[in-house]
Amino acid sequence: NAGVMQNPRHLVRRRGQEARLRCSPMKGHSHVYWYRQLPEEGLKFMVYLQKENIIDESGMPKERFSAEFPKEGPSILRIQQVVRGDSAAYFCASSQGDRGAEAFFGQGTRLTVV
Amino acid sequence: EDQVTQSPEALRLQEGESSSLNCSYTVSGLRGLFWYRQDPGKGPEFLFTLYSAGEEKEKERLKATLTKKESFLHITAPKPEDSATYLCAAPGSNTGKLIFGQGTTLQVKP
């Protein structure tokens, strides 16, 4: 049973381009969380999704950022018109969804905006 | 407001020197307290889940305990390979999103 898969592992974008980060949850998991981590800092919550639903997006910037988790396929975190401040490691985690169910993380996507 | 706070921020130990990391939480109706280990450049690795006060779980040199207000991660006779950042997290009382502490960065010197 494969773990949480994120791709790409590294992504370089020029300012103004779009970045698309993908997360395939563990088999049987229907809930996905996205976090952002800057160097030497903690994990900052961005968005919590269930299949076809956004449960909590309180940590996501109102502009340029969006997330989806369709019925089929991976969860996508999309950043439009990237700026240098978007450079960070983006991690996703998946769980079975029950509060108290363990969440398992992928290896992250490291986004660099040049 | 739900909150998870870890201390200390950083901890340096000599190999074999036991110590404890603290995670205090203010979450209504706690439904699990999770511990993770994160190595540089990698995603957090799940270690333990604790569900009720008094519960303890062990894995090699690590033991996690839980009270009604805090959790401890005890490290017995640590080795250099235990060096990492240790994170604790709890599901929020409102939507269930995972709330993380800032982490404790542990360095074990040989």
Side-chain angles (χ1 to χ4, degrees), chain B residues 35 48 50 55-57 62-66 72-74:
Chain B
W35 282 98
F48 304 109
L50 301 166
E55 188 176 0
E56 298 183 353
K57 288 195 177 173
L62 301 177
K63 183 169 78 172
T65 62
L66 183 67
F72 293 94
L73 185 65
H74 307 277

Side-chain angles (χ1 to χ4, degrees), chain B residues 6-61:
Chain B
Q6 291 186 247
S7 63
E9 287 187 16
L11 182 61
R12 289 185 177 182
L13 299 173
Q14 288 296 127
E15 185 173 1
E17 179 186 2
S18 301
S19 188
S20 297
L21 283 56
N22 177 266
C23 171
S24 61
Y25 61 90
T26 52
V27 175
S28 301
L30 185 74
R31 299 190 186 209
L33 188 292
F34 307 140
W35 282 98
Y36 292 84
R37 168 189 171 133
Q38 186 176 25
D39 292 293
K42 296 191 175 182
E45 174 190 350
F46 173 78
L47 292 174
F48 304 109
T49 305
L50 301 166
Y51 290 107
S52 56
E55 188 176 0
E56 298 183 353
K57 288 195 177 173
E58 287 188 64
K59 180 180 180 181
E60 296 182 353
R61 296 175 292 281

Side-chain angles (χ1 to χ4, degrees), chain A residues 9 33 35 37 41-43 45 48 55-56 58-59 91 93 99-108 110, chain B residues 31-32 34 36 38 40-44 46 49 51 87 91-102:
Chain A
R9 291 294 308 278
Y33 311 80
Y35 290 83
Q37 188 174 44
E41 293 190 11
L43 289 165
F45 170 78
Y48 172 25
I55 298 176
D56 187 333
S58 58
F91 291 99
R99 295 188 191 189
E102 292 93 345
F104 297 90
F105 279 81
Q107 291 303 304
R110 277 144 192 86
Chain B
R31 299 190 186 209
F34 307 140
Y36 292 84
Q38 186 176 25
K42 296 191 175 182
F46 173 78
T49 305
Y51 290 107
L87 301 163
S93 57
N94 189 15
T95 64
K97 70 183 184 187
L98 281 181
I99 302 169
F100 277 85
Q102 285 297 99

